[in-house]
Amino acid sequence: MSQYRKETLCIQGGYQPKNGEPRVLPIYQSTTYKYDSAEHLGKLFDLQAPGHMYTRISNPTVEAVENKIAALEGGVGAVLLSSGQAANLFSLLNIAQSGDNFISTSSIYGGTVNLFAVTMQKMGIEVRFATPGATDAEIEELFDDRTRAVFGETVANPALDVLDIERFAALAHKHDVPLIIDNTFPTPVLCRPFEFGADIVTHSTTKYMDGHAQVVGGVVVDSGRFDWTKGDKFKELTEPDESYHGVVYTRDFGEAAYITKLRVQLLRDIGAAPSPMSAYLLNLGLETLHLRMERHCENAQIVAEFLEKHEKVSWVNFPGLTSNSQYAMAQKYLPEGSCGVISFGVAGGREAAVRFMDSLKLAAIVVHVADARTCVLHPASTTHRQLTEQQLADAGIGSDLIRMSVGIENVQDILEDITQALDKA
Ligand SMILES: *Cc1c(COP(=O)(O)O)cnc(C)c1O
């Protein structure tokens, strides 16, 4: 199956029914699984036989969707989680413990900033932020012998900075740690970070993957390519896990060591598991991901070019504009388009921005991004309001910034709505 192209994987990846089985992925709405012998179940508990034990850890519907996403990203395995927040937390908690640190670009989603700088800090895991423009030398100064990973977003939400994945992968690998990429905005349809040296990919599947604003979810994907045995940084993977009678993940699971540990240890203990119904709905979204991304990019390009020429718009940020500072980087990593999200400022500042938003009829004001319906948001007063002025500046968010998530409606209708709302701004 993995030899197929992304369009085919979106539709048929992860689930291949055998003779007489349902054509469409069934919802296995069951918490438990039946076994003929206690011995077999014992083997499952010891991780010596494959199979499902309990839906907190794995489930056939969930597994099919995990396999689809792993195939789309080109990884060896994936774990679906109940949210994107859980995915980013798990991706790091799987290889870092109290006393360790990791490096993250500062241009990332506001919820992730809070997770890293507040909650993980309380767990004793320190984040060290590097601005996207930091030089190699400045970033290298942040590493020490307790650094366990480097983290960044392919296309930052909402600053829309495009990460130089190859540069960050080289820096991480020079210090024998993996590069973790949150690939939420481009999705594997537009960018596959493993092809540029990333080791782990995360997503908030809540966004384009589901694409219909129906299910909160997340996923962690393992490339299987990082060598955890090099050096002595990842003892949790290379030494016996006492909670599994001495399983050694790298020895027993090879290239799937990281993703296996994440499932059988973190998901078992912390339990941020998705429901089978959520996985089923996510799968429906994934079936049209390739079609939707194409239209999101096409519409966003037209809207961005329109806004750029409009006299009431003071600036437009969209990596697909030739005038954009990210254009060259986007051409390298996202040649088919970056996403459907645009940010811009309305001339007249914060008040004009609010009048514009309140006058929109087709586009709705919602705390969401990246679904089929066009929507707008003012991050400084909503999703990012917990951030300090400095954190806002580091994340590239001005107080006049409007984030517009361009949907897949008829683009003429979107342009007409924007025009009438700008007239009132
Ligand atoms: C929304 C988002 C998250 C958080 O995901 P949830 O599914 O809302 O928990 C993480 N990273 C990025 C880039 C996001 O856009």
Side-chain angles (χ1 to χ4, degrees), residues 105-424:
T105 62
S106 56
S107 188
I108 53 173
Y109 172 65
T112 311
V113 173
N114 281 328
L115 168 66
F116 289 177
V118 181
T119 298
M120 290 187 71
Q121 191 77 36
K122 284 190 217 161
M123 302 166 120
I125 301 170
E126 181 203 349
V127 60
R128 299 178 175 180
F129 285 116
T131 57
T135 63
D136 286 3
E138 283 165 344
I139 296 169
E140 289 214 50
E141 271 175 32
L142 300 173
F143 285 90
D144 64 21
D145 60 355
R146 297 298 300 267
T147 303
R148 293 293 178 263
V150 176
F151 181 96
E153 291 178 6
T154 319
V155 178
N157 174 11
L160 302 179
D161 294 322
V162 179
L163 190 75
D164 189 347
I165 300 174
E166 283 180 347
R167 177 164 91 98
F168 279 81
L171 284 164
H173 296 160
K174 189 171 169 193
H175 294 267
D176 294 331
V177 300
L179 176 65
I180 303 175
I181 293 289
D182 181 333
N183 196 33
T184 297
F185 268 18
T187 82
V189 168
L190 298 174
C191 179
R192 308 207 310 165
F194 295 155
E195 290 172 0
F196 300 103
D199 304 286
I200 306 295
V201 158
T202 64
H203 286 273
S204 165
T205 62
T206 318
K207 313 297 164 54
Y208 288 118
M209 280 194 170
D210 166 49
H212 299 77
Q214 295 188 22
V215 194
V216 173
V219 69
V220 179
V221 191
D222 184 355
S223 69
R225 290 208 292 261
F226 189 79
D227 183 3
W228 307 101
T229 61
K230 202 171 160 203
D232 62 353
K233 290 197 164 96
F234 302 102
K235 292 202 174 89
E236 279 194 279
L237 284 153
T238 59
E239 291 183 0
D241 178 355
E242 292 316 324
S243 74
Y244 273 113
H245 322 303
V247 154
V248 176
Y249 295 103
T250 47
R251 182 195 65 199
D252 301 344
F253 299 99
E255 59 179 9
Y258 171 96
I259 203 68
T260 303
K261 175 176 176 287
L262 191 144
R263 178 189 306 285
V264 302
Q265 192 190 68
L266 285 185
L267 194 52
R268 175 197 64 185
D269 294 350
I270 300 176
S275 72
M277 185 67 184
S278 296
Y280 171 83
L281 289 170
L282 170 58
N283 187 54
L284 274 187
L286 288 168
E287 289 186 358
T288 55
L289 182 65
H290 55 301
L291 293 175
R292 289 186 287 105
M293 291 318 289
E294 198 177 303
R295 181 62 71 83
H296 279 294
C297 292
E298 196 181 296
N299 281 358
Q301 186 72 31
I302 295 168
V303 170
E305 286 170 12
F306 171 85
L307 289 171
E308 201 175 33
K309 290 196 212 95
H310 201 288
E311 55 176 15
K312 285 209 175 161
V313 174
S314 43
W315 56 269
V316 183
N317 182 13
F318 182 65
L321 292 174
T322 48
S323 60
N324 194 266
S325 65
Q326 307 296 306
Y327 183 74
M329 205 65 89
Q331 288 302 299
K332 173 171 182 186
Y333 292 106
L334 305 145
E336 292 171 55
S338 53
C339 62
V341 182
I342 299 171
S343 60
F344 62 97
V346 179
R350 187 184 266 256
E351 274 120 65
V354 170
R355 279 198 302 274
F356 166 77
M357 303 231 311
D358 288 349
S359 306
L360 289 166
K361 296 192 172 95
L362 181 74
I365 304 173
V366 298
V367 184
H368 196 244
V369 65
D371 74 74
R373 299 163 192 82
T374 298
C375 60
V376 287
L377 179 79
H378 184 231
S381 63
T382 55
T383 46
H384 288 64
R385 69 182 294 141
Q386 280 95 356
L387 270 60
T388 64
E389 284 299 319
Q390 187 57 47
Q391 284 174 323
L392 278 176
D394 288 347
I397 302 159
S399 59
D400 63 335
L401 185 151
I402 289 175
R403 184 183 72 186
M404 176 171 272
S405 174
V406 181
I408 57 175
E409 302 95 339
N410 183 298
V411 74
Q412 217 49 48
D413 288 332
I414 300 171
L415 292 179
E416 284 168 20
D417 190 35
I418 293 171
T419 304
Q420 65 81 23
L422 280 173
D423 285 347
K424 298 189 186 107

